[in-house]
Amino acid sequence: MAHYPGVLAGTDEPSAIRPHTDYELLTILLQDDIPSLELLSNTGQWIQAKPIPGTFVVNIGDSMSMLTNGLFVSTMHRVVNSSKRNRYSVPFFLGANQYAELRALDKFVTNGNPAKFQPVISGDYIRRSLQAVYSKPNVEIVRETIEVRE
Ligand SMILES: O=C(O)CCC(=O)C(=O)O
Ligand SMILES: [Fe+2]
């Protein structure tokens, strides 16, 4: 479960997660009633994923893009909780077996659409991506949130 405080401790800034795509195959996300999650459309607009009671948000992740050779595009998204209330969400990240190789399935690779991604071992991809996020210089992990801020 992720907690987005109404304001960050010691500031009056909203809690947030900067724009990113998820690394796994699919994310199934339960939101509470506070609108905060935004998705980037293919025309470059941020669109709010309005909480709808009794529903989940399903995001396509990078691993799914790799398997489908880019036919399914992983969703760029961000979170900004400007409500001043505590927000909670429950993301479930469905990933491939960590030892599985992620490579485009044959049916998605054609002469007109050659392979777009280098095959990679799923666990290596996830670990490398997480390391890239957490090891950047000048990155501060803000306490009480899951936001990583420059
Ligand atoms: O809390 C949310 O609405 C999204 C969380 C998210 O993007 C993530 O944990 O990767
Ligand atoms: Fe995410």
Side-chain angles (χ1 to χ4, degrees):
M1 178 182 290
H3 173 214
Y4 303 83
V7 286
L8 291 182
T11 76
D12 52 8
E13 283 179 47
S15 56
I17 303 188
R18 65 186 175 184
H20 66 283
T21 53
D22 295 342
Y23 310 131
E24 297 80 2
L25 294 163
L26 288 175
T27 306
I28 302 171
L29 178 85
L30 181 65
Q31 309 189 75
D32 67 10
D33 63 334
I34 298 179
S36 302
L37 173 64
E38 296 175 349
L39 314 171
L40 191 62
S41 77
N42 55 9
T43 54
Q45 320 276 79
W46 286 104
I47 300 170
Q48 196 163 75
K50 195 178 117 201
I52 303 172
T55 68
F56 296 92
V57 174
V58 179
N59 270 327
I60 294 167
D62 297 341
S63 301
M64 183 71 88
S65 292
M66 292 187 224
L67 289 185
T68 60
N69 200 23
L71 180 66
F72 287 14
V73 180
S74 50
T75 321
M76 183 66 72
H77 55 284
R78 67 183 182 186
V79 178
V80 184
N81 174 15
S82 342
S83 70
K84 307 267 195 259
R85 289 162 55 206
N86 287 313
R87 172 181 187 262
Y88 296 90
S89 70
V90 185
F92 173 75
F93 300 103
L94 174 69
N97 181 299
Q98 65 163 328
Y99 303 113
E101 186 182 57
L102 297 173
R103 76 158 59 230
L105 301 173
D106 289 346
K107 66 191 284 187
F108 296 106
V109 182
T110 58
N111 289 339
N113 190 28
K116 292 193 172 85
F117 305 98
Q118 285 282 69
V120 65
I121 301 298
S122 169
D124 291 348
Y125 178 71
I126 309 269
R127 274 187 292 275
R128 232 186 287 145
S129 305
L130 288 171
Q131 267 163 17
V133 170
Y134 288 105
S135 64
K136 275 192 188 165
N138 308 321
V139 166
E140 178 198 355
I141 300 180
V142 176
R143 278 156 57 91
E144 293 185 88
T145 78
I146 54 177
E147 183 190 9
V148 180
R149 313 179 81 213
E150 301 266 352

